[in-house]
Amino acid sequence: MLRTIRTEEDARKAVARARKRGKRVGLVPTMGYLHDGHLALVREARKTCDYVVVSVFVNPRQFGPEEDFERYPRDLRRDKRLLAKEGCDLVFAPAAKDIYPRGFMTTVGVGGLRDIMCGRVREGHFDGVCLVVLKLINIIRPDVAFFGEKDYQQLVIIRRMVDDLSVGVDIVGVPTVRDKDGLALSSRNAYLDPEERRRATALFRSLELGRLLITGGERRAEEVRRRMVSALIEGGVDRIEYVAIVDPDTLEEVRHIRSDVRIAVAAWVGDTRLIDNVPVEVRARRRRRRVKGRTAAVIMAAGEGKRMKSGLPKVLHTMGGRPLVRWVVAAARQAGVGEIIAVTGHGGDMVRPVLERLGVETVVQDVQRGTGHAVLQAYPLLKGFSGDVLVLSGDVPLVRASTLRKLLSDHRRHSNAVTFATAVVPDATGYGRIVRARDGSFEEIVEEKDADAKTRRIKEINGGIYCFKAGTMFDALLMLTSGNAQMEYYLTDTLGIIRSRGGRVEAHLIDDYTEVLGVNTRKDLRTVAAVYARRRRDEDNKRGVANGVHRKRKR
Ligand code: PAF
């Protein structure tokens, strides 16, 4: 049963009783107005502690005079409801006069670390954080205390303080929890109106860019920072406070990136100051591979395939005795693609070995944030490649090499920036419809949910097979926003971006719609298997006729 306690004395007593019962105590300090990021801390605490205390205290000492202490969101009742569901044992919600009684004089501070990054503009902030955290630790005396990596500088400072002062508590950092479009959860997101909320994703997108540049081999921190600043500005933030590429332990600025770094940003959107950061692992630089040939392919193979209701990743289900993704790889190879990169995610441990045996390079999309985000993950391997990139789906197994070859040759002949396959299907439900101008040229793709009755009657659909000029594709992917109901980054949105920048986009109608059939359910799997079997029969028949004719002639 969740208890709420207001005073230091009661908190000490409650925790002492738990200790007597041999419980391992975990503390999650918060300022309340809890979101899933806080709840992730509580869940992490639950894993290793059997008595979890969450403190809820909006600490006045960590707010500057011009800051948002007064308007900081508060809702203890709601917080308690959420915490009860997470199995928290005790909520400690003291009043300011209990934490800082009359005559309180002590200060704590971690010199150096407190004055950089956020400390440059938030004077006194980290001293206030250290003071309250040390006080809470002294009251609760936990075995472990949990902090979010979202406030990475805070985490590093608290670790330093706890070590320097031999506080005797383990500090655990918990990875940032993000919305689907990547925005890091924060109580301050409540200040953003819908338009600001959309612009706020610029922080995450600039961090993604920084991470991809570094994993792609960029070692000059200044260059990474320059590109991130541009991404933040283009993404619509109102003011950038800093973009920092730092050593993850000391927070020292790095100039030449040789080992793992943390990249962090602080920027304003409207009246709201937002911060975010990500870790970047730096592996020993791989020998720079030249992408073989004029054409590369990116195969999306990260989807979970929930509707398949199976533990097997979707692309490993079989058609004609082979995993779906193998058919796609085979078609790309037969079409003359030199370099194939697969984006893996769900079930990656099972998918990667299958692909690697086929000589396919793999990259990981750790969280599924849409098709555009998936393809972007191939950037480190295709950086600098100036040829064409076919984008295929690992769950669309009936695509023919001849179709890919035709797509590529039209793409090149017409000097298109993008050429994508469309098909006329008997039932277009669920597909993006192709709207063409009177002269037959491609106008736009309208997703089903946005389509009016007339557009819904269109039977020509987006087949989801694309051929892009590599540089144009990545430039557009880096500009993608996620202003849709799913909060995802859609590959199809790159077409509009490319067009608006003068690129030619062509919709290439293919004859056989079965080539674009995707597998999402068991029923779909049966459908593609039946088409495959029919194709085999037709081929056998053709071969039979040919042989028959041949035999006749011989006789
Ligand atoms: O991260 C926060 O919410 C606060 O800085 C903390 C650690 C609870 C101290 O007030």
Side-chain angles (χ1 to χ4, degrees):
M1 243 285 278
L2 176 68
R3 289 184 65 197
T4 306
I5 270 170
R6 296 280 185 179
T7 68
E8 174 176 337
E9 197 191 338
D10 288 347
R12 282 185 193 281
K13 277 190 199 150
V15 178
R17 274 196 296 276
R19 279 215 173 284
K20 241 194 198 150
R21 284 179 277 139
K23 307 243 175 189
R24 180 177 159 82
V25 178
L27 170 66
V28 179
T30 80
M31 297 208 296
Y33 209 69
L34 305 180
H35 51 66
D36 223 37
H38 295 111
L39 302 181
L41 301 180
V42 178
R43 282 172 212 141
E44 198 56 36
R46 275 254 73 95
K47 283 188 200 157
T48 53
C49 304
D50 28 29
Y51 192 80
V52 176
V53 182
V54 175
S55 63
V56 176
F57 178 62
V58 185
N59 172 32
R61 300 256 174 154
Q62 67 188 75
F63 289 81
E66 304 293 311
E67 291 186 3
D68 55 345
F69 174 69
E70 293 301 338
R71 72 164 180 150
Y72 196 86
R74 295 160 170 86
D75 191 344
L76 186 59
R77 229 199 254 167
R78 177 177 157 278
D79 290 345
K80 287 199 293 195
R81 244 190 348 261
L82 292 170
L83 290 171
K85 280 197 206 134
E86 294 300 332
C88 160
D89 298 283
L90 183 72
V91 176
F92 178 43
K97 64 176 178 19
D98 289 320
I99 294 293
Y100 304 117
R102 196 191 286 270
F104 190 101
M105 289 171 86
T106 303
T107 55
V108 202
V110 179
L113 286 179
R114 71 177 167 196
D115 303 320
I116 57 175
M117 297 164 69
C118 290
R120 281 219 175 92
V121 282
R122 300 195 72 190
E123 208 187 316
H125 167 71
F126 289 112
D127 289 1
V129 170
C130 285
L131 192 62
V132 81
V133 168
L134 193 56
K135 177 120 189 182
L136 290 167
I137 288 176
N138 281 336
I139 295 170
I140 305 295
R141 300 205 170 276
D143 298 284
V144 201
F146 297 82
F147 297 87
E149 287 184 358
K150 155 85 171 32
D151 297 300
Y152 192 73
Q153 185 175 9
Q154 166 175 289
L155 175 63
V156 172
I157 288 177
I158 290 169
R159 282 210 169 106
R160 184 77 269 148
M161 171 185 79
V162 161
D163 272 5
D164 287 355
L165 300 181
S166 307
V167 178
V169 57
D170 287 339
I171 301 297
V172 171
V174 178
T176 304
V177 178
R178 300 177 180 282
D179 257 339
K180 272 192 97 180
D181 59 3
L183 181 71
L185 297 193
S186 160
S187 306
R188 288 193 169 98
N189 293 351
Y191 301 151
L192 301 168
D193 69 26
E195 186 269 331
E196 290 171 338
R197 167 69 187 69
R198 264 196 302 281
R199 288 193 283 132
T201 59
L203 276 81
F204 166 73
R205 289 185 287 122
S206 75
L207 289 168
E208 274 284 279
L209 170 65
R211 181 177 68 76
L212 290 166
L213 286 170
I214 297 169
T215 43
E218 181 56 77
R219 294 295 173 258
R220 295 163 300 170
E222 200 40 52
E223 177 58 16
V224 177
R225 199 188 346 260
R226 192 186 63 75
R227 298 277 307 268
M228 288 178 63
V229 165
S230 303
L232 283 166
I233 295 168
E234 277 168 31
V237 304
D238 293 305
R239 185 151 56 89
I240 300 171
E241 233 167 52
Y242 65 78
V243 172
I245 299 163
V246 296
D247 178 286
D249 301 319
T250 62
L251 300 186
E252 263 167 51
E253 285 272 355
V254 170
R255 284 177 58 152
H256 190 81
I257 303 164
R258 290 191 180 82
S259 51
D260 296 356
V261 288
R262 199 93 196 177
I263 46 182
V265 294
W268 288 78
V269 176
D271 291 336
T272 308
R273 181 179 182 276
L274 298 167
I275 58 170
D276 197 356
N277 69 85
V278 291
V280 185
E281 259 182 55
V282 177
R283 302 215 192 106
R285 203 205 283 243
R286 294 196 207 177
R287 211 153 24 91
R288 187 113 189 92
R289 299 164 328 115
R290 277 181 65 82
V291 175
K292 290 173 256 154
R294 286 168 77 191
T295 317
V298 175
I299 300 180
M300 292 182 277
E304 187 178 5
K306 258 196 206 130
R307 289 191 283 154
M308 298 296 286
K309 296 197 169 60
S310 152
L312 196 64
K314 185 164 63 166
V315 296
L316 294 188
H317 284 268
T318 59
M319 177 187 83
R322 282 184 179 184
L324 299 176
V325 69
R326 269 194 70 174
W327 293 103
V328 185
V329 171
R333 285 249 189 275
Q334 282 166 29
V337 172
E339 182 83 38
I340 304 183
I341 297 160
V343 184
T344 62
H346 279 291
D349 292 346
M350 284 185 263
V351 177
R352 276 187 291 276
V354 173
L355 290 163
E356 280 160 10
R357 273 200 298 278
L358 299 172
V360 172
E361 289 270 351
T362 57
V363 291
V364 179
Q365 182 192 26
D366 54 357
V367 180
Q368 267 70 75
R369 300 193 194 281
T371 45
H373 180 255
V375 176
L376 187 58
Q377 305 312 306
Y379 178 75
L381 296 186
L382 289 176
K383 195 174 154 241
F385 174 58
S386 59
D388 297 308
V389 181
L390 280 172
V391 177
L392 308 169
S393 298
D395 57 1
V396 179
L398 289 162
V399 61
R400 290 189 175 95
S402 54
T403 299
L404 298 181
R405 272 197 297 265
K406 180 87 181 41
L407 194 73
L408 271 165
S409 87
D410 276 8
H411 176 74
R412 287 184 181 136
R413 200 150 31 88
H414 300 156
S415 301
N416 293 340
V418 196
T419 313
F420 69 102
T422 69
V424 173
V425 291
D427 178 8
T429 313
Y431 288 98
R433 311 297 208 281
I434 304 300
V435 178
R436 290 188 182 263
R438 276 180 196 281
D439 64 359
S441 60
F442 166 70
E443 212 154 62
E444 61 172 333
I445 300 176
V446 180
E447 295 306 332
E448 172 145 295
K449 58 174 179 4
D450 304 322
D452 58 21
K454 185 170 163 234
T455 312
R456 274 172 196 240
R457 282 197 293 275
I458 296 175
K459 289 276 193 277
E460 185 182 0
I461 55 108
N462 173 15
I465 296 169
Y466 307 81
C467 181
F468 285 91
K469 280 202 171 104
T472 312
M473 176 179 87
F474 285 119
D475 285 350
L477 287 173
L478 288 166
M479 290 176 71
L480 274 184
T481 54
S482 59
N484 51 61
Q486 301 303 316
M487 298 170 89
E488 289 194 348
Y489 297 91
Y490 292 149
L491 186 62
T492 41
D493 290 347
T494 58
L495 306 190
I497 297 174
I498 290 171
R499 263 184 137 192
S500 70
R501 306 175 106 202
R504 217 181 111 87
V505 179
E506 188 180 313
H508 172 104
L509 178 66
I510 62 171
D511 295 334
D512 179 1
Y513 77 89
T514 64
E515 290 190 58
V516 303
L517 290 179
V519 174
N520 286 311
T521 62
R522 296 268 174 183
K523 188 167 168 249
D524 295 341
L525 192 60
R526 285 196 295 277
T527 306
V528 296
V531 175
Y532 171 76
R534 201 167 55 235
R535 274 194 197 175
R536 285 295 301 266
R537 266 197 315 275
D538 291 350
E539 277 164 23
D540 287 350
N541 285 345
K542 261 194 220 152
R543 233 176 279 134
V545 170
N547 287 344
V549 171
H550 194 57
R551 268 200 302 278
K552 251 189 204 159
R553 275 211 204 110
K554 255 188 156 181
R555 243 185 263 141

